[in-house]
Amino acid sequence: MPGPVLHLGATVLCSHGGTATPTAPFPRVTVSGQPVVTLASPYVIAGCPFVTPSGNGPCVTAQYVTSAARVFAGGVPVLLQDSMAVCAPTGTPTLNLVVQPRVIGS
């Protein structure tokens, strides 16, 4: 499904409110003046307040599992606003809240 392309400045949170930041955006392709993020880039999560009774801790990293099917940067699919990620070690999804509105991918 078409959707806005994720970039370095997009607001991405874990399900508990921690801030997710891509560790390796693709600098050769930019939207709104910031690098796009591809499926290959893991995210780090800071400030997740979740503490489970089982002791597996708060969200620390996230890896996207879905992406654009027809838009690539450097041969790797770019992430879209509706792309899904899984946080580790909790297994919860991320929330892609604020993205640039100009570039749409599918």
Side-chain angles (χ1 to χ4, degrees):
M1 177 165 213
V5 174
L6 282 184
H7 64 301
L8 180 61
T11 302
V12 179
L13 303 176
C14 74
S15 295
H16 314 106
T19 304
T21 307
T23 59
F26 191 76
R28 294 182 64 193
V29 178
T30 61
V31 293
S32 296
Q34 297 192 19
V36 297
V37 183
T38 65
L39 185 62
S41 177
Y43 274 69
V44 293
I45 300 172
C48 178
F50 186 64
V51 178
T52 63
S54 63
N56 66 346
C59 299
V60 177
T61 63
Q63 183 62 53
Y64 277 82
V65 293
T66 63
S67 62
R70 296 171 38 182
V71 180
F72 298 83
V76 181
V78 298
L79 298 179
L80 303 176
Q81 186 174 18
D82 65 349
S83 295
M84 302 294 293
V86 178
C87 296
T90 62
T92 58
T94 59
L95 307 169
N96 305 325
L97 299 178
V98 179
V99 299
Q100 57 76 36
R102 291 185 173 192
V103 180
I104 306 296
S106 62

